[in-house]
Amino acid sequence: MKNIAVVGYGVIGKRVADAIQLQDDMKLVGICDIISDWRIKNAVRKDYDIYAATTEAEKQMKASGISVMGNMQDLLDKVDLVVDCTPKNIAAKNVEVYKKQGIKFIVQGGEKHETTGHSFSAENNYSTALNIDATRVVSCNTTSILRTLTALKRADLLDYARGTLLRRATDPWESHLGGIMNTMVPEKDIPSHQGPDAQSVDPDLDVITSAVKVPQTLSHMHYWNVKLKKEASKEEVLNAFKTSSRIKLIHYDQGLVSNNTIKEMFLDMGRPWGDMYEVALWEDMLKVVGDELFYAYVVDNQAIVIPETIDAIRALTGMETDAHKSIEKTNESLGIN
C-alpha cells in the first residue's frame, strides 16, 4: 500500500483523487490546493484531508470553515508519491520542491516533456516507467493518439498517420470565463503540438497533426488518415483496435451521432460526471481503401488521462511490474469494460 498525495484539486485532480480512493493498493493521504470555494468544500464532503498550498490559502480556508491538516510540506512528509494536477506551468515550479524532498512525482500533459524527462502512456511504455522518479502523463489528445496508433502498430499495420483535431474551446466548468463563440481558430503551426508530443513517448511514430479550436466544450474530435504497411480488411483493423481495452467502438447508426449523444450515454451508464475514460471510435464510419485507413473518434478531455495516471502511480512505485495487470486492475475499478 502506497501513500499518495494530490496537489491541485481541479478538473483532473478531483478525478484522480476519486480514482485513487477506488484502488486497494494505494491510499489517498490528502489533497493540497489554494482554493476555498465550493470545489474544495466538495472534497471536505468526501472526507478528504485538506492541506493548504500557501499561508494565505490556509487563512482563507479556515475563514471558510474548512479544517486544514497542514501545509504542503506536511503532506509531502507523509507520502510516497505526489500527483501534481495544478494548472499549466505551476507544476514545473512545484517539481523543485518534490526533488528536494526526494519524493516521486507525476505531472500532467500541460507541462513540457523536459520537466520529467519521461512521458507516459500505459499501453505503450509502462515498462520504461518502472521505479523511476518522475513521469508526465501526456495530454488528453496525445493519450488518444497513442492508444489508437499503438494498437495499429502492435498489429504491424501502421506506416504513418496524419490527423486533424477539432479541439474544444475550454473546459465546461469555466465556459463563462472565455472560450470562443461563432468562430473557429486554427492553430498556426503544422504540426500542432500533439504529434511531437506523442513522439516523446514513442519516437518511432511517424505522425503529423493539425488542430482547430471549435466553439464547444464537451470533448475533442479527431479525424485520421493512416497509411498502412499493407492492404488490409476493415476486420483486421477493427481487431487491432480491439486489442486496446481503452478504445470503445461505437456506432453512428445507433444514435451516437455527436459528442453530446455520446456524453449522454456515459451519463446513463452511471459514470461519475459522465466520464468517458475510453477513446470512442466510430466502427461504422471507419473505412479502409487498399492500404489507406480513415477513422474518427471523440476524446473526453476531462477523463481520458485518469486511468493512465493510476497506472503511472503503480509503475513509478513498482507496485505492479506488469502493464497488463495494472491496466486490468485500473479498468475494473473504474468500470471500463
Side-chain angles (χ1 to χ4, degrees), residues 159-230:
D159 188 357
Y160 61 79
R162 306 293 181 255
T164 299
L165 288 62
L166 305 178
R167 300 183 56 219
R168 62 92 178 96
T170 187
D171 283 327
W173 85 273
E174 56 184 4
S175 300
H176 62 291
L177 297 178
I180 60 175
M181 185 64 72
N182 197 34
T183 189
M184 294 185 290
V185 183
E187 289 196 11
K188 181 182 72 172
D189 296 323
I190 299 177
S192 60
H193 73 272
Q194 291 86 5
D197 197 26
Q199 291 167 330
S200 74
V201 174
D202 189 345
D204 293 333
L205 287 181
D206 185 345
V207 55
I208 294 175
T209 52
S210 54
V212 181
K213 189 181 291 185
V214 296
Q216 58 85 33
T217 64
L218 285 180
S219 67
H220 308 294
M221 184 178 293
H222 289 214
Y223 279 90
W224 284 89
N225 178 8
V226 172
K227 175 70 163 55
L228 302 173
K229 281 189 173 182
K230 59 183 180 181

Side-chain angles (χ1 to χ4, degrees), residues 61-319:
M61 286 178 179
K62 289 181 176 178
S64 297
I66 297 168
S67 177
V68 180
M69 300 296 292
N71 58 31
M72 187 165 79
Q73 186 61 55
D74 295 327
L75 177 58
L76 297 182
D77 287 340
K78 299 176 181 178
V79 301
D80 301 296
L81 179 146
V82 58
V83 182
D84 193 304
C85 302
T86 54
K88 186 176 181 179
N89 298 323
I90 294 178
K93 299 175 183 178
N94 290 341
V95 161
E96 298 308 313
V97 177
Y98 307 146
K99 288 180 177 178
K100 185 177 180 181
Q101 179 84 6
I103 188 172
K104 293 177 182 287
F105 61 91
I106 296 169
V107 299
Q108 298 297 313
E111 305 306 320
K112 294 181 179 179
H113 172 75
E114 291 73 24
T115 305
T116 60
H118 186 276
S119 295
F120 182 87
S121 180
E123 292 179 334
N124 187 288
N125 69 340
Y126 185 98
S127 63
T128 66
L130 289 174
N131 298 305
I132 64 174
D133 292 333
T135 193
R136 163 182 166 266
V137 174
V138 292
S139 72
C140 49
N141 282 314
T142 305
T143 295
S144 75
I145 293 168
L146 286 161
R147 284 188 194 167
T148 51
L149 297 187
T150 296
L152 295 172
K153 187 177 177 181
R154 275 196 302 263
D156 199 30
L157 290 173
L158 178 65
D159 188 357
Y160 61 79
R162 306 293 181 255
T164 299
L165 288 62
L166 305 178
R167 300 183 56 219
R168 62 92 178 96
T170 187
D171 283 327
W173 85 273
E174 56 184 4
S175 300
H176 62 291
L177 297 178
I180 60 175
M181 185 64 72
N182 197 34
T183 189
M184 294 185 290
V185 183
E187 289 196 11
K188 181 182 72 172
D189 296 323
I190 299 177
S192 60
H193 73 272
Q194 291 86 5
D197 197 26
Q199 291 167 330
S200 74
V201 174
D202 189 345
D204 293 333
L205 287 181
D206 185 345
V207 55
I208 294 175
T209 52
S210 54
V212 181
K213 189 181 291 185
V214 296
Q216 58 85 33
T217 64
L218 285 180
S219 67
H220 308 294
M221 184 178 293
H222 289 214
Y223 279 90
W224 284 89
N225 178 8
V226 172
K227 175 70 163 55
L228 302 173
K229 281 189 173 182
K230 59 183 180 181
E231 291 192 7
S233 66
K234 181 173 181 176
E235 183 180 14
E236 286 178 273
V237 171
L238 289 173
N239 285 339
F241 284 140
K242 288 175 183 177
T243 63
S244 170
S245 60
R246 294 177 181 171
I247 297 175
K248 185 175 182 64
L249 298 177
I250 61 173
H251 294 265
Y252 195 94
D253 64 6
Q254 292 181 356
L256 297 172
V257 298
S258 58
N259 60 352
N260 60 290
T261 55
I262 296 168
K263 182 74 169 181
E264 189 71 13
M265 178 181 72
F266 279 90
L267 282 164
D268 285 352
M269 288 166 58
R271 290 278 183 90
W273 298 287
D275 282 349
M276 181 175 71
Y277 307 115
E278 305 92 332
V279 175
L281 191 152
W282 277 288
E283 179 175 348
D284 48 355
M285 192 188 299
L286 184 148
K287 182 88 171 176
V288 182
V289 181
D291 62 356
E292 283 192 283
L293 166 63
F294 304 86
Y295 60 92
Y297 61 74
V298 167
V299 180
D300 186 336
N301 46 286
Q302 300 182 109
I304 191 173
V305 300
I306 305 307
E308 306 293 325
T309 303
I310 298 301
D311 291 327
I313 293 172
R314 289 202 183 92
L316 262 62
T317 58
M319 285 191 292

Side-chain angles (χ1 to χ4, degrees), residues 3-29:
N3 293 326
I4 312 298
V6 172
V7 175
Y9 194 71
V11 169
I12 300 298
K14 66 182 180 182
R15 288 171 165 84
V16 170
D18 282 8
I20 291 171
Q21 285 288 84
L22 295 173
Q23 312 307 311
D24 61 12
D25 55 356
M26 58 187 77
K27 177 184 178 184
L28 178 67
V29 174

